Every structure is written in structure tokens, then in C-alpha cells.
Amino acid sequence: MSSRGPSPLRPPTTPFKVDQAMEPLDAGLHPVFHAGRVAVITGAANGIGRAAARELAKLGLKIAIADYDEAGLTALEAELKKDWGEASVIAQLTDVSNIADVLRLRDRVYDTWGEVAVLMNNAGVSGIDASGVRGTSWTGLESWKKVVDVNIFGYATRPTATLARLTSRSVVNMQQTFIPYMLPQENQSVIINTGSKQGITNPPGNTAYNASKAAVKSLTEGLSHELRSQPHSNITAHLFMRNTTDNNAVKPPGAWTAEETVLFMLDRVRSGDFYILVPDNETRREVDNLRIMWSAGDITEGRPPLSRWHPNYKAIFEDYMRENLAQMD
């Protein structure tokens, strides 16, 4: 291979972005992240969900936390009520792969507080089955069933102990149940769906997980378009793409803490961003941008899929990264 072809350096942000940030009511605050409003957070018993509940409570929001991890949920409920008062917290044991549970959660929130300002669908199981097998394109059928059912559709049976630890959640069940109630609300609201960088760059090794997160990306993009096309809609959608680690896993070196990640996410929602791509202490945003652009170039430039890892293109990709990053430094 003698030519890298196109894939030129692009600026980290496009100059034609329309700023959709909303006018704050208080300095530094988005009108949704405002005292007295209501947040519903699934997968709240640990990790990102727990950090989000804590940060939104600090801003004065009323917090409804949901999870299938009863011990973790009870501990967080006690903490939030101690810090912010009994009337500001609802905790609901919820398997959101079970539509009846989701309906009960919605009804309790609306019966108690009458609105939802922040709906955070904090999705995710890893796609690794009980024996440690990942779902490849032709193996690990049980892994495929688990990750697709839980991460996307929510049609799984109640989770096993392993799934409970991974906190099963469903984007589709939550959207189908909550959005019809949120649409008539007069006040502005946001929906935040948790995705992953792997749903864009598709690194080899866990095809089932990558496919599920690519579906979450597509679902959230479609949701955003449908919401802005809806007359008088005051809801915006946001795709929150964090680094992928299981909630109970040891934090890898360089990865941000859950708290750092949530603070970054809230800041980007305040700015009106749809794509919220979380960096870390090892991977600069510029690196993420270049990797994403290279992946898109596989289509536009006729390279093999996942060419970053193709033996004929790996060195070319490394040159592309090195040369473009040198222009930024």
C-alpha cells in the first residue's frame, strides 16, 4: 500500500454547528438542571447512575432512582434522604426489562411529583456470558440474547445474579413508557441515553456489545429527530458515550471516575450537545475524533471494514494518527 488516500485532518468541531443551548435560569445552570425539578435515573445503584443521582441532588433536583440491585439501591436511598430530605427522593426496585416494573416506576414518579425533567437511561451489560464468553459474529448466542435484550429491547426475563450486578436497563422500554407523558409538559426536559464509544468505532473482540451500542446510537439519533419534528416539543435527546467499564470493575489507569464523567456529561448537555463523547486521561478528544473519522473513511474511501486492525492498513492508520496529531501540537 503506497498511499494513505484522503482522510485529511478535520477541526475538532464543525463551524456550522447551531448552538441549541437553552438560556439558564441561574448562572451556570441549564433550566432543566434546576432546583425543584425531577430526575429519573435507571441503573442508579452504582457507577455512573449513582454519581449522576448525587450530582443532580446537589443541584436541588428531586431524584427518582431505579435499579434491580436492591442492596445498592437501598444504600443510595438512605444516603440521599439523609443529605437532601425524605421528600426529595424516591427509590423504586425496578427491572426495566420488565415493562410492568417500568409502568409502576412512571406512575409513582408522576403521582408524586407530576413531571420528569431528566430521564437518564443508563444502559448496559457487557455481552459476556456467565462462563466469560463474548458474543462474536457466530458464537456466544446466549451472550447475544442477553446483551441485545437488556441493552436495547428489554424483553429479557428477570436477570440472574450476574445480570443484577451489571444492572439491567432498557432504552426502548423507558422511552416508550415515559416520553408520551413528557411530551405534554410545558417545561423543558432532556433524555440522556448512555451509549459507548464502541458503538461508533466498533473495535474487535465483543461484537454483541458493539452492535447493541450502535443500536443505542441509532435509536437516540432517531429520537432526537422525532422530538425536534414534534410540534411544541420541549424535550431534547442526548447520547452520552462513556468509556466502557463494568460498574463493579476496577477503574483502569487513565480512566475518569464516575463523578468526573458525570460532571463532563452535565456540562455538555448544558451546552446543547447531542453527541457527548467522554475523554479520559489517556485518550484526548482529538484522538477520539480522528479514530471516528477514520472509521467513517472505511466507507467513503473503500477500505475494508475495521481497517484500523487490518494488517494491510494498520501502519497506514498509525501514520495518519501521528501526522494529524502532530499538526495539533
Side-chain angles (χ1 to χ4, degrees):
M1 308 295 294
S2 58
S3 171
R4 283 187 299 278
S7 292
L9 175 68
R10 309 298 206 277
T13 57
T14 52
F16 48 81
K17 174 186 173 184
V18 177
D19 185 6
Q20 297 181 4
M22 302 175 186
E23 290 296 324
L25 300 180
D26 291 340
L29 288 183
H30 188 292
V32 169
F33 305 132
H34 195 267
R37 302 220 58 198
V38 176
V40 176
I41 304 167
T42 62
N46 50 47
I48 295 292
R50 180 173 59 195
R54 288 169 173 166
E55 292 302 327
L56 291 172
K58 289 178 186 177
L59 296 176
L61 278 76
K62 301 170 184 176
I63 308 296
I65 52 175
D67 207 298
Y68 194 68
D69 176 356
E70 186 171 8
L73 189 68
T74 300
L76 181 60
E77 177 188 15
E79 173 193 324
L80 294 175
K81 286 184 174 180
K82 179 175 180 289
D83 292 341
W84 309 106
E86 295 273 340
S88 296
V89 181
I90 287 174
Q92 182 92 4
L93 189 63
T94 305
D95 169 10
V96 293
S97 71
N98 183 317
I99 192 66
D101 276 12
V102 176
L103 290 168
R104 280 189 288 270
L105 173 65
R106 181 201 65 193
D107 290 345
R108 185 177 178 194
V109 171
Y110 274 91
D111 288 346
T112 305
W113 292 322
E115 72 142 19
V116 172
V118 179
L119 179 63
M120 185 171 178
N121 297 314
N122 184 37
V125 294
S126 66
I128 305 173
D129 68 16
S131 61
V133 174
R134 298 175 185 268
T136 72
S137 295
W138 63 86
T139 63
L141 183 59
E142 290 306 311
S143 295
W144 273 96
K145 290 177 180 178
K146 177 196 300 182
V147 75
V148 172
D149 283 347
V150 174
N151 286 3
I152 305 170
F153 298 110
Y155 298 148
T157 57
R158 285 189 174 271
T160 63
T162 299
L163 276 178
R165 289 196 301 272
L166 290 171
T167 57
S168 66
R169 294 167 292 271
S170 161
V171 172
V172 171
N173 271 357
M174 292 296 292
Q175 288 186 180
Q176 294 276 324
T177 302
F178 276 85
I179 292 177
Y181 277 58
M182 296 173 69
L183 283 171
Q185 295 176 177
E186 294 183 1
N187 293 326
Q188 294 161 340
S189 302
V190 298
I191 297 169
I192 303 166
N193 289 341
T194 300
S196 170
K197 295 177 186 180
Q198 289 184 216
I200 301 175
T201 56
N202 202 25
N206 197 346
T207 303
Y209 181 84
N210 294 351
S212 75
K213 289 304 183 181
V216 171
K217 171 180 175 290
S218 179
L219 285 166
T220 313
E221 288 170 336
L223 171 65
S224 179
H225 172 79
E226 290 164 355
L227 288 172
R228 69 173 178 258
S229 302
Q230 184 78 16
H232 313 300
S233 171
N234 279 327
I235 311 173
T236 59
H238 306 267
L239 179 63
F240 171 39
M241 295 170 286
R242 61 184 178 87
N243 285 331
T244 299
T245 55
D246 293 343
N247 284 330
N248 293 321
V250 176
K251 183 176 76 67
W256 282 8
T257 64
E259 290 74 19
E260 290 172 317
T261 300
V262 167
L263 288 172
F264 179 87
M265 178 268 289
L266 295 177
D267 184 58
R268 300 325 302 161
V269 173
R270 289 186 184 102
S271 297
D273 290 2
F274 172 82
Y275 298 102
I276 303 172
L277 188 65
V278 180
D280 57 38
N281 295 331
E282 291 182 345
T283 305
R284 296 159 50 186
R285 175 60 189 264
E286 292 83 359
V287 170
D288 281 329
N289 288 348
L290 289 169
R291 288 173 176 172
I292 291 168
M293 289 162 51
W294 179 275
S295 295
D298 286 350
I299 300 171
T300 61
E301 297 171 25
R303 296 190 295 255
L306 307 186
S307 66
R308 276 176 58 186
W309 298 275
H310 192 290
N312 292 347
Y313 288 86
K314 186 175 180 180
I316 299 171
F317 169 74
E318 291 171 355
D319 286 346
Y320 158 82
M321 294 295 296
R322 183 167 48 251
E323 293 175 8
N324 280 287
L325 289 172
Q327 296 181 42
M328 298 178 184
D329 293 333

